C-alpha cells in the first residue's frame, strides 16, 4: 500500500471497526477524531444457513435475515446495512476511510497496532497455533475487507500487544527454556486493548501523563484478567499463554495444578473433554452448578443457595489475591480500576473483592460503590489508593489507533 504523506488530516474520517469471530462479525462505524458512533451492528450465525444481522444507526434499527455462507458474504451484508437507503449511516462504501480490526494474537512481534500488509497477514497466520479459535477468523475478516473495501488502510489491533512490555521474569514459565525457544511457550496476556484504554482514561482523570501512573486494572467480564501497570506500561498480567490462566472466570478454571489434567486423563477423560471442562464447564458455573452469571448467582445466594455463595466467594478471593500480589510488584499504586461487565456493574462483587483492606490504605466508599454515574471514583476520600470504575471501550481504542496509523500515518509505536 502506498500512503500519500502530504495529505492533510481529514477532520471527519469515517473508520469502520471490525471484530470477526468464527461465526460472527461485530462492527461499529466511527466519525474520527470526534469518536462519534455513526452505526453499530453485528452479523450472527455465519455459515449456519439462518444468519441474522442487526444494526442501529441514527436511532434507527435495521434487522435482516439472509443466508450468509462465509465472512466475505457477511462483510457484503455489513456494507449493505451501512448503505441502506432508509436506515443506513452512509450513502456509499467510498465514504469509509479506513478499517480497524480486532486481532487476538500478535505473538511476540506485535507490540502495538500495525498497518496491515502481506507481511503482517503472515504474522497473524504464524500465530494460528497460539489462538486457533480466534486468529483464523480474524484473518479471514481482514482478507474479506481487503477485497471489498479496496485500497483503504487497514489496521490490526492486537489483544496481546499492550502486554508485550512484560519483562522476561514475568512472562517465562518455570519450564525448560528450550520450550520457549522452540514453541514460544510463554505468558502473552489478553484483554490488552481494554487494560490500555482504562489505564489511559484513569491517567487523564488523574490529570497525569499516560506514562505517569501505576495501576492495577481489573477487566472482569465473561473472561477476566488483572494487569499490573507501571509508568503506563503492563508489567504483569494474570492470563497466560492462553486465556485459561489467572483468576477464576465465568466458565474457566483460572490457575490450577497442571497435574489435574493428567490425573483426569488417567481416569478416562479424553484430552478434548478435559479442555472443555477447564474452559467451558468450570469457574462460577462449575462451582455453583447453576450459572456463570454473577447477577443470577447473587440472587440465588441471597435466597440461601450454598454453592452460588461459594462460587462468588471463590471468585472474589482469587481476584483479591492477584491484587495483593500486584501491590507487591509495583513500586507504588495510584489506583485500582474495575472494568468489564462485572467490574462496571457488579457493586456487590467489587465490595466483596475490596472488603476490609484499610490496613493497605484501600478503602471503598460503600454508598458510591453501589450508585453513581457509569464512570466514577468509588474509594473514600481517606483511601491512599484510589478505586475507579471505568467503562471499557475497546472499539473506540481501535478506532483511535486506526485513525492515527491509517489516516494520520503515524508510526505504530506512537499508539502505545
Ligand atoms: P464479555 O467478556 O463477553 O465482553 P461482559 O464484559 O459484557 O462480557 O460481561 C458479562 C458479564 O457481566 C455477565 O456474565 C455478568 O456476570 C456480568 N454482569 C452484567 N451486569 C451485571 C451486574 N449488574 N452485576 C453483576 N454482574 C453483571
Amino acid at each position: 500500500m502506498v500512503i500519500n504523506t502530504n495529505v492533510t488530516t481529514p477532520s471527519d474520517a469515517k473508520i469502520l471497526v471490525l471484530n470477526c469471530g468464527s461465526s460472527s462479525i461485530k462492527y461499529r462505524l466511527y466519525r474520527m477524531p470526534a469518536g462519534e458512533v455513526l452505526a453499530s451492528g453485528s452479523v450472527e450465525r455465519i455459515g449456519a444457513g439462518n444468519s441474522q444481522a442487526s444494526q442501529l444507526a441514527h436511532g434507527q434499527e435495521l434487522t435482516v435475515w439472509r443466508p450468509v455462507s462465509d465472512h466475505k458474504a457477511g462483510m457484503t451484508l455489513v456494507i449493505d446495512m451501512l448503505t441502506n437507503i432508509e436506515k443506513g449511516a452512509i450513502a456509499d462504501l467510498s465514504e469509509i476511510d479506513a478499517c480497524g480490526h480486532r486481532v487476538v494474537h500478535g505473538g511476540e512481534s506485535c507490540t502495538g497496532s500495525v498497518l496491515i500488509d502481506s507481511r503482517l497477514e503472515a504474522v497473524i497466520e504464524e500465530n494460528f497455533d497460539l489462538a486457533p479459535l480466534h486468529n483464523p477468523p480474524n484473518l479471514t475478516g481482514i482478507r474479506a475487507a481487503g477485497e471489498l473495501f479496496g485500497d483503504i488502510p487497514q489496521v490490526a489491533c492486537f489483544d496481546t500487544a499492550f502486554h508485550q512490555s512484560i519483562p522476561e521474569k514475568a512472562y517465562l514459565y518455570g519450564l525448560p527454556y528450550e520450550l520457549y525457544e522452540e514453541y514460544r511457550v510463554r505468558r502473552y496476556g489478553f484483554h490488552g486493548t481494554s487494560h490500555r484504554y482504562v489505564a489511559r482514561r484513569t491517567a487523564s482523570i488523574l490529570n497525569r501523563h499516560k506514562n505517569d501512573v501505576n495501576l492495577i486494572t481489573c477487566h472482569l467480564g465473561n473472561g477476566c484478567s488483572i494487569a499490573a501497570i507501571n509508568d503506563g506500561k503492563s508489567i504483569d498480567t494474570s492470563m497466560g499463554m492462553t486465556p485459561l490462566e489467572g483468576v477464576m472466570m465465568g466458565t474457566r478454571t483460572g490457575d490450577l495444578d497442571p497435574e489435574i489434567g493428567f490425573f483426569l486423563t488417567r481416569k478416562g477423560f479424553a484430552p478434548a473433554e478435559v479442555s472443555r471442562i477447564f474452559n467451558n464447564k468450570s469457574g462460577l458455573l462449575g462451582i455453583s452448578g447453576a450459572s456463570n452469571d454473577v447477577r443470577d448467582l447473587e440472587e440465588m445466594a441471597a435466597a440461601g443457595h450454598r454453592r452460588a455463595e461459594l462460587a462468588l466467594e471463590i471468585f472474589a478471593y482469587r481476584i483479591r489475591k492477584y491484587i495483593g500480589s500486584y501491590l507487591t510488584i509495583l513500586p507504588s499504586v495510584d489506583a485500582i480500576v474495575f472494568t468489564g461487565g462485572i467490574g462496571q456493574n457488579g457493586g456487590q462483587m467489587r465490595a466483596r473483592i475490596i472488603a476490609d483492606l484499610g490496613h493497605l490504605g484501600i478503602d471503598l466508599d460503600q454508598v458510591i460503590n453501589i450508585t453513581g454515574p457509569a464512570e466514577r471514583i468509588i474509594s473514600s476520600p481517606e483511601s491512599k489508593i484510589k478505586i475507579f470504575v471505568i467503562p471499557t471501550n475497546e472499539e473506540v481504542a481501535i478506532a483511535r489507533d486506526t485513525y492515527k496509523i491509517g489516516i494520520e500515518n503515524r508510526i505504530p509505536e506512537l499508539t502505545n
Side-chain angles (χ1 to χ4, degrees):
M1 164 147 331
V2 179
I3 296 211
N4 179 359
T5 49
N6 295 323
V7 292
T8 50
T9 302
S11 57
D12 68 341
K14 293 193 181 84
I15 308 284
L16 182 62
V17 173
L18 291 158
N19 181 356
C20 296
S22 55
S23 64
S24 72
I25 300 174
K26 297 196 182 83
Y27 63 96
R28 227 175 249 190
L29 182 67
Y30 282 93
R31 186 194 299 281
M32 297 302 286
E36 181 192 350
V37 179
L38 301 175
S40 64
S42 64
V43 181
E44 309 278 348
R45 297 197 294 270
I46 294 173
N50 59 342
S51 315
Q52 183 193 342
S54 52
Q55 174 179 280
L56 185 66
H58 303 305
Q60 301 229 71
E61 279 180 42
L62 173 64
T63 307
V64 172
W65 284 270
R66 186 200 284 182
V68 177
S69 55
D70 56 21
H71 282 76
K72 192 168 171 196
M75 208 68 82
T76 305
L77 180 51
V78 171
I79 294 168
D80 288 352
M81 308 267 291
L82 287 170
T83 54
N84 183 281
I85 293 176
E86 282 171 25
K87 297 182 172 177
I90 49 172
D92 191 85
L93 178 62
S94 63
E95 286 183 45
I96 297 174
D97 296 292
C99 286
H101 296 264
R102 179 181 183 197
V103 182
V104 165
H105 222 302
E108 292 192 302
S109 48
C110 299
T111 57
S113 299
V114 191
L115 192 66
I116 297 170
D117 57 14
S118 54
R119 269 180 325 162
L120 190 79
E121 288 187 15
V123 169
I124 296 170
E125 203 160 355
E126 271 164 29
N127 291 310
F128 275 9
D129 60 342
L130 293 175
L133 299 180
H134 295 101
N135 271 30
N138 294 161
L139 185 57
T140 307
I142 287 168
R143 289 188 169 143
E147 284 176 40
L148 293 167
F149 290 94
D151 204 16
I152 60 170
Q154 307 229 27
V155 172
C157 305
F158 298 95
D159 276 17
T160 50
F162 182 58
H163 300 303
Q164 277 299 306
S165 45
I166 289 176
E168 218 174 13
K169 68 181 175 195
Y171 73 66
L172 280 182
Y173 291 111
L175 286 166
Y177 193 79
E178 294 72 26
L179 294 179
Y180 166 60
E181 290 180 311
E182 197 150 329
Y183 302 111
R184 299 178 296 156
V185 175
R186 54 159 285 181
R187 170 177 292 113
Y188 292 94
F190 299 89
H191 292 143
T193 309
S194 176
H195 287 290
R196 176 170 59 121
Y197 174 84
V198 298
R200 302 293 184 255
R201 183 74 203 124
T202 307
S204 146
I205 296 169
L206 291 171
N207 224 358
R208 302 266 198 89
H209 186 268
K210 65 178 185 178
N211 291 336
D212 184 27
V213 280
N214 293 341
L215 306 168
I216 298 172
T217 51
C218 307
H219 178 107
L220 311 178
N222 280 319
C224 302
S225 67
I226 321 288
I229 296 177
N230 186 24
D231 293 336
K233 292 192 171 58
S234 175
I235 60 159
D236 206 346
T237 191
S238 58
M239 281 181 169
M241 173 149 165
T242 77
L244 187 60
E245 194 183 346
V247 295
M248 190 180 88
M249 306 174 213
T251 64
R252 295 189 194 124
T253 58
D255 297 333
L256 86 166
D257 181 343
E259 268 299 320
I260 294 169
F262 305 113
F263 174 84
L264 291 176
T265 54
R266 287 197 299 274
K267 291 288 174 194
F269 290 83
E273 177 59 10
V274 174
S275 172
R276 224 161 68 79
I277 292 171
F278 288 178
N279 282 287
N280 307 113
K281 294 182 169 182
S282 297
L284 290 172
L285 176 67
I287 289 171
S288 68
S291 173
N292 61 342
D293 192 309
V294 167
R295 288 165 294 193
D296 297 342
L297 295 175
E298 284 175 348
E299 240 179 80
M300 295 166 76
H305 192 296
R306 195 191 78 82
R307 275 171 52 190
E309 173 60 27
L310 183 62
L312 293 167
E313 203 179 316
I314 295 173
F315 185 83
Y317 178 74
R318 298 264 187 126
I319 294 166
R320 200 177 157 89
K321 284 212 297 186
Y322 262 95
I323 292 174
S325 72
Y326 288 173
L327 284 169
T328 69
I329 61 165
L330 286 163
S332 63
V333 177
D334 300 305
I336 297 169
V337 183
F338 287 96
T339 194
I342 303 167
Q344 288 164 214
N345 305 304
Q348 273 189 49
M349 180 48 74
R350 289 192 301 260
R352 275 182 196 261
I353 296 167
I354 296 293
D356 303 324
L357 291 182
H359 62 293
L360 295 174
I362 303 170
D363 187 37
L364 191 68
D365 182 317
Q366 300 293 342
V367 176
I368 299 169
N369 177 46
I370 299 298
T371 51
E375 181 180 278
R376 64 194 190 277
I377 184 162
I378 56 171
S379 45
S380 71
E382 294 76 41
S383 186
K384 288 204 184 81
I385 296 176
K386 294 183 169 56
I387 312 168
F388 284 95
V389 174
I390 307 276
T392 195
N393 194 341
E394 289 155 292
E395 293 81 10
V396 85
I398 294 172
R400 283 180 193 156
D401 284 3
T402 306
Y403 179 74
K404 278 186 194 162
I405 295 166
I407 306 295
E408 290 189 324
N409 193 24
R410 296 200 182 157
I411 52 166
E413 281 70 21
L414 282 182
T415 64
N416 247 341

